[in-house]
Amino acid sequence: MILNDVHTGIRKNRRRRRVGRGPGSGHGKTCGRGHKGYFSRSGSRRRRGFEGGQMPLFRRVAKRGFNNRAFADRVVIVNIGQLDKAFEDGAEVTAESLAARGMIPSRFDILKVLGDGQLTKKLTVRAHRFSQSAEAGIVAAGGRYERVSVVTASEPDN
C-alpha cells in the first residue's frame, strides 16, 4: 500500500449526471433509462421493501403472537463491590439511597443484589432479591440483608 495513492481518484461530492444533452454526452436520448418499460416512464420507482419479485421480508416474517417483554418486570442489579465503594460502614442501603447516589435508574420494578466484588463494611441491605453469593458476602462482612416484598399493579391493595 502506498500512502500517497490511498485517496487519489476519490471525490467527496460527486457531480450530478447531466442527462439529455445529446449523443456526445453519453447520456443523450433515453438518458440512461433504456427503451420502454416501467422504469423508462416518469414517476417510476421501486417501492420500499421490493425484492425483485421474491417474497419480501416483511411478508415472510410472522406478525402474530404475543411477547411478554412489555409486561415483564424491569430488574436492576447492583453488586456488593459497588456498595462497598459507595457507602460508609454501618449505613443502610435501600433503593432510595442507591437512586440518590445515581447507582440505579429511578424507574424499575425489582432490585437485585449480586455478589461480584468484595464487601468489607458492615451494611444493612434492603432489596427485593439477593444472589446466594451476595447473601454470603454481606453476612461475612458482619452486615444484614432484608428482603423487601414486590408490589405489582396487578395485586389489589387491602
Side-chain angles (χ1 to χ4, degrees), residues 75-80 83 92-98 104 108-114 124-131 134-135 138 144-150:
V75 180
V76 174
I77 60 168
V78 176
N79 286 300
I80 59 173
L83 299 180
E92 190 173 295
V93 180
T94 61
E96 292 78 24
S97 63
L98 289 167
I104 60 172
F108 65 93
D109 298 311
I110 294 171
L111 172 64
K112 183 167 183 175
V113 180
L114 301 179
T124 303
V125 186
R126 289 190 174 91
H128 301 108
R129 295 179 187 166
F130 294 88
S131 68
E135 291 175 0
I138 293 168
R144 296 186 313 131
Y145 63 90
E146 296 176 18
R147 282 191 174 77
V148 182
S149 63
V150 179

Side-chain angles (χ1 to χ4, degrees), residues 67-86:
N67 191 326
N68 200 39
R69 192 178 317 131
F71 307 101
D73 289 333
R74 185 168 171 202
V75 180
V76 174
I77 60 168
V78 176
N79 286 300
I80 59 173
Q82 294 173 295
L83 299 180
D84 193 55
K85 291 177 186 173

